Amino acid sequence: YPTDAVLRIRKPDGSELRVVDDFEKKRDPEYTWTAAVDGEHAIEVRERMGRGGRDMRYRLSVSEPVPDFTARVDKSEYVVKPGEEVAVKVTVGKRQGNEEELALAWEGLPETVTVTPPDSIPAKGGDVTVTLTAAKTAEPFQGKWTLRVTEKGEDGGGERRKSAVFSFQDDNARGPYLIEETSDLWLTIPPVVEDGAE
């Protein structure tokens, strides 16, 4: 929806607890809190610019927080020359008390590319680096690949997987894009150019 919502939460006595606009570069507000007192809390939603009409819709949900995680990469396109390497910076975020161990997996890369993952992902999340190394004999390549973060529960079952995404919403973004993020990463291995060749 085109609505740029602002969320206001009020305590049982009517006083303001919190006002939330954007959340993590997204226009949709979100807030997690532990109620300090019993009683009815009020939630108000308004359009930030005061716009109205049939298109100014919103959906409000209230639920107990569920442990979650996110993964973002620094670029959507990477170039690695034969015999060289390129670093992929991955920012892993943990939310709502997530304490599960996370690991990285990938698919779509040619066999001539070796992947060196980090030793581990910090327990509280953070930046890690994945290194892609192309063999000296690597043939030219252009194609998409995917980097995934996998969470495995303590009981060894119920794996959750999420693809790492590149967000087109940077600090200069103003409003929504047609495509705001992508999990389709692109790798290019250029052909080897001999000395003196054009």
Side-chain angles (χ1 to χ4, degrees):
Y1 303 135
T3 310
D4 190 354
V6 176
L7 187 72
R8 175 180 281 109
I9 304 172
R10 295 188 183 276
K11 300 177 183 179
D13 63 5
S15 61
E16 186 175 274
L17 173 69
R18 186 79 172 187
V19 175
V20 186
D21 189 351
D22 300 338
F23 177 75
E24 294 184 351
K25 296 184 180 180
K26 295 181 180 180
R27 294 188 309 152
D28 295 335
E30 180 178 326
Y31 184 60
T32 302
W33 93 97
T34 300
V37 296
D38 290 335
E40 294 185 357
H41 290 68
I43 299 177
E44 302 172 2
V45 179
R46 68 177 177 84
E47 213 286 326
R48 188 169 71 90
M49 305 303 293
R51 298 175 297 174
R54 296 180 62 182
D55 291 338
M56 297 296 110
R57 304 179 182 185
Y58 66 89
R59 180 182 292 115
L60 173 67
S61 63
V62 181
S63 62
E64 293 185 12
V66 177
D68 199 3
F69 63 94
T70 59
R72 295 185 180 278
V73 291
D74 59 334
K75 300 176 183 177
S76 62
E77 301 178 9
Y78 299 89
V79 177
V80 57
K81 297 179 180 179
E84 298 185 7
E85 63 182 34
V86 64
V88 180
K89 179 181 175 182
V90 187
T91 300
V92 179
K94 286 193 169 184
R95 303 179 53 206
Q96 319 296 11
N98 187 311
E99 297 180 354
E100 300 295 343
E101 183 177 351
L102 303 177
L104 292 170
W106 49 90
E107 60 184 43
L109 292 172
E111 295 181 356
T112 53
V113 173
T114 302
V115 182
T116 305
D119 293 334
S120 64
I121 296 176
K124 295 184 178 180
D127 293 338
V128 296
T129 300
V130 175
T131 303
L132 306 182
T133 304
K136 292 182 179 180
T137 57
E139 296 291 332
F141 173 84
Q142 283 191 327
K144 66 179 182 179
W145 65 288
T146 305
L147 182 64
R148 290 191 172 91
V149 178
T150 302
E151 173 195 76
K152 197 167 186 178
E154 294 181 358
D155 59 358
E159 284 189 349
R160 287 198 302 172
R161 299 193 310 166
K162 288 190 176 182
S163 297
V165 300
F166 172 76
S167 175
F168 298 106
Q169 288 276 4
D170 58 19
D171 293 335
N172 298 317
R174 295 293 182 268
Y177 294 165
L178 181 62
I179 299 177
E180 297 191 346
E181 62 184 28
T182 181
S183 61
D184 290 336
L185 309 180
W186 193 262
L187 177 69
T188 298
I189 302 177
V192 175
V193 178
E194 301 294 339
D195 292 340
E198 295 184 0

